[in-house]
Structure formats: structure tokens, C-alpha cells
Amino acid sequence: MSDIADRVKKIVIEHLGVEEEKVTESASFIDDLGADSLDTVELVMAFEEEFGIEIPDDAADTILTVGDAVKFIEKAQA
Amino acid sequence: MRRVVITGTGLVTPMGCGTDISWSRLIGGESGIRRITNFEVDDLAAQIAGQLPRDPSAEGAYNPDDWMEPKEQRKVDPYIIYGVAAAELALRDAGWQPQTDADQIATGVLIGSGVGGLEGIVEAGYTLRDKGARRISPFFIPGRLINLISGHVSIRHKLRGPNHSVVTACSTGAHAIGDAARLIIWGDADVMVAGGAESPVSRIGLAGFAACKALSTSYNDRPGQASRPYDRDRDGFVMGEGAGVVVLEELEHARARGATILAEVVGYGLSGDAFHITAPAEDGDGAYRCMQMALNRAGVGVDEIDYINAHGTSTMADTIELAAVERLVGDAASKISMSSTKSATGHLLGAAGAIEAIFAALAIRDNVVPPTLNLDNPEVETPIDLVPKVARKRQVDIAVSNSFGFGGTNASLVLRRVDL
């Protein structure tokens, strides 16, 4: 896993209080990791802070899984 | 008219987490007030408080993890966790966990707070200034709203009846119980989970109340002696944190399921001073009228009162309340015991009225009145027994609990023994 993926995973574990093994690339924040809509807003904010990027609201709406987040951040930092 | 009884209690106080431990320490004459050690106080005028015991080795220790998942705790100010804990304790004590649609819809929640969120607002203010509006958490607002105690309790226990809250400063807990009782009387609910919670013990809370000249500042080196209602050397109240919640229930509903009944809520009175934002009216008229209204509602004569749990904050206002009580009860004064349990717990603001109503109910259960600690030299002479320093065994069938708050908002509750 890339450095970005590790950092995303760490944020997800910390914010959602879930076990590490559940946080796979394909895990959906809402369906698999127990997040609600407010949790996902906070997660996106945490990604913005951690990676120094801005995630517009329409882009945030497409980030549904751990993998979505990693891909978006990799692209934003490229 | 439908009658309302208390069938469960939950106390989270500086005396301990749990009704039994809080009550036994109170009756034992212990103080819950200590020097603050978990944040910087050297620049604060008041450096002591009634804080929840958190040392895990202590009996009755409070551990937030017992009541809310750590990831949820992060989203709320502590008063919400205290309220959730006290409500859970009260529901367990009552043995009431509604499972059917009908029972869930017949059960409501009415828990308030005087101040609500403080520390979380301070932190969000720093975030807004230093990092900008886009960094404000979506949990900032729902973690600070006062009615979110009632919200969390209803969600956790599936209580789908009236969901309400009260914000009347230091009268909050008493108003919550009184208003919740009325919802039961009117048939809007059969069971109500009611009370107050407060988490003011923080730098901003201490600084704010000290600026109002409300806090004790001369006893920082002798915390246990700081809260001394009616004593000539009192110099302000000592802040406390925690929560008190009761389960109120319609009498026949409680009897039908064989619930243990602690006491009946027979009277409730409310009044406004219309005088000053923080000071009580010097003639004590607001206090007098709310006690009188509560007794009239209860159909109880002044000569029937056994115990009054006073508002008694350890400020100048103590003698105003005492004079109002003397005016109300007249010749019956000599058979009444009246104490301030804030001498042991400190002043839990929006939680105080609920905690003290529970203490008053326990006084009825056990026929014992809790003491007023540190009452060495009463400022005024009175025929009323102020229960100095040591609890007293005596018959208690009728108890009154008084609460008076900033803004000149007053509430009195009358509780009565229920003969089974």
C-alpha cells in the first residue's frame, strides 16, 4: 500500500473507530464502516487537512470508499 | 387527576457515579470538592470544584467509556455524556426498557442544561480563527446543543414520546422534572426520563462565573471548606459537574408493572423575580411565591413540611431564601429541617435541581436528612434546623426542593411518601 493509502487508512480508523482489517480499499464508509452523512463530511475535512488539498463538495460526493479517497488524493497531489 | 411517581434515579456527581455511592457519601458528611488538577488554574480566581471522581481505583469512579463509545465522545461536550450516563442509570434502576411500539411511544425525555457546551465552542472558535470556516466540524453544532442530551437518550433507548429540553440556568433540573411530570398528568406520556446535566468546570466556565463575582475564591487551599451555605464566612459558590436524572411514571403504570416507587411528585411551582440578571430580589418574593404555588398545587400545608432541600449556594442569597422560607412557614419553622447539599457537591448549575430532588426523595425513603457541611457560625439565627455538619435521622414524609437561577427564574418541587 502506498504512503497515501496508509495515511488515509489511519484517519478512517481514528474517526470511525473501526478495526484496521475492515478498512480495505473497497470498503464503503457508510455501508461497511458505519459512517453517517456527518461522519463522511468530517472525513473529507480530515483528508483536506492531512494532505493540504481542497476537495470541492461535488468531488466529495463521489468519494464513497477508502479506494475513492486514495485515488482522489493521488490525483490531486500528482 | 393522574398521579406521578419517581421509579428510578441516576446520579453522576462529585460524590461518585451512581445513586447509592453519592447518597451514602453525602449522608456520611463527605465533601466532593477538591483542587482542580487536570487543567491550568494558577491564573484563575477560583481553583477548586466539585469534579467527578475519575481515578479508576476509587469506588464510584466515573469513566466516560462506560457510557459512550470513544469515537462518539469526541463529537460532544461532556455534559451530554454525563446526561446519557445518568439517564442509563435511572432507566436501569427503574427496570424500564420499553420494547413494544406502544411502550416506546409512551416514554419521553426532558433533560436540560444551564449552560450546555462550553469547551467545544472555545475550541471551534480557535479553529475558525486559525484555520478558517471550512475546518469547522459537522459535529460542532449537534455536540453543543442543549436538547441533544434528550436526543442521545431517546436514540439509545428508543424512547419515542415527547422529546424536550429546559434551559433555565440553575433552575433547569427542577423545571425539567416539574414540566415532565405535567406531560404525564396531561396524558402526553406515561413515563418521562427527566433531569439536568452540566459540564462547566473548565477555564472558560470558571473565568466567566468568577467575573460575575459568584464563585468562592478564599478557600483554594481548603477545598472541602469552601462551600458553606448560611455560614458567616461563606464567599461564593463552588462550581460542580455531573448530572441527575429521574424516571417519572404515572402511578397506576408503575403499580401495574410492580415498580419500586421512591416518592410522588405532588407539587410544582414557578415564578420570576423581574429584578436583576444575576442577583435575587432582596425581598425573596419570587422564592416565596414559587414555594407557595408548589404547596398549593400539592394541597400540602406548611405545617406538613418535614424537609427542605434549599437552593443554598453559599452566597449572600442564602439568607434571602431562608427569610422567604421563614415568611412562608411561620410558626411551623421549628419542626422543619432545611439543608443545602451544595455544601458537599458544589453547585451543579443546570443539574443541581434534579440532583437535589433525588436527594429529597432519598430523604423520604430513608427518613434521614443530609447535612449542611461547614456551617460553623450561622450568619443569622433561625428556628429552622439547618442540619449543621451531621446528617439527622428524622421522619420525612413531605420534602420540598428549591432551585433559583440567573435571570430571576425560580422553581420548587414538593415530594411526598407514597404508602403502598
Side-chain angles (χ1 to χ4, degrees):
Chain A
M1 236 185 221
S2 68
D3 166 58
I4 289 175
D6 284 342
R7 285 155 71 191
V8 165
K9 207 170 162 180
K10 189 162 167 267
I11 288 169
V12 172
I13 292 166
E14 189 184 302
H15 279 259
L16 301 182
V18 288
E19 287 152 20
E20 193 175 344
E21 49 271 27
K22 286 190 178 167
V23 188
T24 59
E25 291 264 336
S26 62
S28 156
F29 298 127
I30 290 177
D31 295 336
D32 301 319
L33 301 177
D36 64 19
S37 59
L38 296 181
D39 288 315
T40 60
V41 173
E42 200 183 47
L43 271 180
V44 166
M45 286 173 50
F47 297 147
E48 287 183 328
E49 175 122 8
E50 171 73 15
F51 296 102
I53 57 172
E54 193 167 311
I55 306 177
D57 286 352
D58 54 348
D61 290 344
T62 69
I63 299 175
L64 306 176
T65 67
V66 176
D68 292 342
V70 173
K71 263 177 250 157
F72 183 93
I73 294 160
E74 282 173 346
K75 219 163 102 187
Q77 289 198 328
Chain B
M1 197 176 81
R2 283 156 61 93
R3 294 166 64 185
V4 179
V5 293
I6 299 171
T7 55
T9 65
L11 285 175
V12 177
T13 79
M15 317 295 283
C17 185
T19 296
D20 291 344
I21 188 79
S22 292
W23 179 240
S24 65
R25 283 185 172 150
L26 181 71
I27 293 304
E30 294 181 44
S31 168
I33 294 162
R34 288 171 195 86
R35 190 170 173 85
I36 296 165
T37 56
N38 60 326
F39 57 85
E40 180 62 51
V41 292
D42 286 349
D43 61 334
L44 298 175
Q47 304 173 348
I48 56 176
Q51 291 183 286
L52 303 182
R54 286 179 167 82
D55 176 356
S57 64
E59 194 191 351
Y62 166 79
N63 179 353
D65 295 353
D66 294 341
W67 311 103
M68 191 179 279
E69 305 75 10
K71 79 177 171 88
E72 298 300 322
Q73 291 174 33
R74 198 172 51 77
K75 302 172 183 172
V76 301
D77 263 29
Y79 70 98
I80 292 180
I81 312 175
Y82 302 164
V84 164
E88 172 101 38
L89 288 166
L91 284 161
R92 275 188 211 160
D93 185 37
W96 183 244
Q97 293 292 345
Q99 304 296 325
T100 65
D101 272 358
D103 283 348
Q104 291 177 351
I105 289 167
T107 306
V109 191
L110 205 173
I111 301 172
S113 182
V115 185
L118 275 177
E119 288 169 276
I121 296 175
V122 170
E123 289 303 318
Y126 292 144
T127 300
L128 184 65
R129 185 192 62 193
D130 298 337
K131 296 180 177 177
R134 285 182 57 85
R135 287 288 170 272
I136 297 296
S137 165
F139 298 107
F140 167 58
I141 295 294
R144 267 88 239 160
L145 294 180
I146 282 177
N147 73 297
L148 261 282
I149 312 168
S150 295
H152 277 276
V153 169
S154 74
I155 293 163
R156 279 164 187 267
H157 299 283
K158 302 279 179 278
L159 310 181
R160 296 154 63 199
N163 198 267
H164 201 352
S165 191
V166 171
V167 182
T168 50
C170 307
S171 297
T172 298
H175 278 137
I177 292 173
D179 289 350
R182 289 188 171 177
L183 291 176
I184 295 174
I185 289 168
W186 289 335
D188 297 323
D190 291 327
V191 183
M192 288 294 297
V193 181
E198 201 80 86
S199 54
V201 183
S202 59
R203 285 177 56 73
I204 187 83
L206 288 161
F209 278 96
C212 296
K213 303 290 175 200
L215 298 181
S216 169
T217 57
S218 307
Y219 293 87
N220 288 332
D221 56 340
R222 293 163 288 163
Q225 297 173 38
S227 188
R228 42 195 316 117
Y230 316 108
D231 190 81
R232 73 173 181 214
D233 296 319
R234 71 196 187 283
D235 74 329
F237 79 76
V238 179
M239 194 180 275
E241 63 182 0
V245 172
V246 295
V247 173
L248 299 177
E249 194 163 349
E250 193 274 324
L251 174 63
E252 295 311 322
H253 188 279
R255 280 186 169 149
R257 68 182 189 90
T260 302
I261 294 169
L262 192 55
E264 180 174 359
V265 181
V266 288
Y268 172 40
L270 317 77
S271 71
D273 280 354
F275 176 71
H276 187 267
I277 55 170
T278 60
E282 280 160 33
D283 61 5
D285 186 58
Y288 173 85
R289 285 184 294 108
C290 84
M291 287 186 278
Q292 190 180 50
M293 184 191 288
L295 290 170
N296 286 347
R297 179 71 61 182
V300 165
V302 293
D303 58 341
E304 295 178 82
I305 301 170
D306 297 302
Y307 173 59
I308 299 174
N309 188 300
H311 186 58
T313 54
S314 188
T315 62
M316 45 74 77
D318 298 352
T319 48
I320 297 175
E321 179 186 15
L322 182 57
V325 170
E326 287 178 353
R327 179 181 158 211
L328 181 81
V329 303
D331 293 340
S334 61
K335 65 175 282 284
I336 292 173
S337 295
M338 167 163 137
S339 63
S340 168
T341 47
K342 290 186 181 80
S343 60
T345 62
H347 187 357
L348 279 76
L349 309 178
I355 286 169
E356 291 160 15
I358 293 171
F359 288 152
L362 295 168
I364 291 172
R365 183 191 70 183
D366 294 348
N367 284 314
V368 61
V369 292
T372 302
L373 301 186
N374 302 310
L375 182 48
D376 295 327
N377 300 292
E379 181 174 317
V380 293
E381 278 187 34
T382 176
I384 294 172
D385 165 33
L386 296 175
V387 203
K389 297 183 173 185
V390 183
R392 194 188 309 287
K393 289 293 290 180
R394 61 157 291 166
Q395 187 70 26
V396 183
D397 294 324
I398 301 267
V400 176
S401 185
N402 282 340
S403 297
F404 312 130
F406 278 6
T409 174
N410 311 303
S412 295
L413 294 166
V414 182
L415 308 181
R416 181 166 63 196
R417 177 184 304 281
V418 175
D419 291 317
L420 297 173

